[in-house]
Amino acid sequence: MTYAVEKSDDQWRAELTPDQYAVLRQAGTERAWTGELLDESRAGLYTCAACGAELFQSGTKFDSHCGWPSFYESVRPEAVELLEDNSHGMQRTEVRCANCGSHLGHVFPDGFGTPTGDRYCMNSLSLSFTPAEAPTDEA
């Protein structure tokens, strides 16, 4: 697959922390309940920690009680790439950033009570969060 952002392995290693590299470039998983963005509840935008591409709006985030930040849809269908993942003896759907190919997590069809029925289970290490700007009072 060809991505808009392509870098050498050495470039990714230089730009990412070792933990981010393990998740984003080696399809690792952070431990459940440890992610910095798990309890983030402010309005804002979630982007790819590797390339900055827009991925999820805060309004689609929900508490799935799974230990990782969960969303019911991406900011645009083409923002993420979905791939069959049969690793570890399981059948899952991997979610990658469509801009750089970085591993974000997996999507499951068990987002009960959400508008889509999907649960995009993302690693906090794969995401950056930008809070929405607070409205200003202009006289």
Side-chain angles (χ1 to χ4, degrees):
M1 186 75 174
T2 303
Y3 299 100
V5 174
E6 297 218 7
K7 298 179 183 183
S8 71
D9 196 51
D10 287 340
Q11 287 173 301
W12 286 121
R13 283 184 189 277
E15 293 177 18
L16 302 170
T17 68
D19 288 339
Q20 285 178 315
Y21 182 84
V23 170
L24 289 158
R25 304 310 303 171
Q26 297 179 313
T29 302
E30 67 191 1
R31 286 184 342 191
W33 309 106
T34 64
E36 185 177 307
L37 297 174
L38 178 62
D39 296 320
E40 178 59 64
S41 60
R42 294 175 292 173
L45 181 66
Y46 293 84
T47 58
C48 176
C51 73
E54 294 182 356
L55 298 171
F56 300 98
Q57 291 283 350
S58 59
T60 64
K61 188 173 189 252
F62 68 102
D63 188 357
S64 67
H65 306 286
C66 72
W68 292 274
S70 297
F71 305 85
Y72 61 79
E73 68 183 351
S74 60
V75 70
R76 291 177 312 286
E78 64 273 11
V80 295
E81 177 182 27
L82 305 179
L83 301 169
E84 185 177 313
D85 178 3
N86 295 314
S87 64
H88 308 291
M90 296 180 273
Q91 291 184 326
R92 303 179 290 176
T93 302
E94 179 185 9
V95 181
R96 289 188 188 176
C97 172
N99 195 51
C100 71
S102 289
H103 173 78
L104 305 171
H106 291 86
V107 62
F108 302 95
D110 61 4
F112 306 114
T114 69
T116 63
D118 290 329
R119 174 175 56 96
Y120 285 81
C121 185
M122 303 292 98
N123 291 285
S124 284
L125 287 167
S126 67
L127 303 173
S128 294
F129 177 73
T130 304
E133 292 186 26
T136 58
D137 293 330
E138 293 185 20

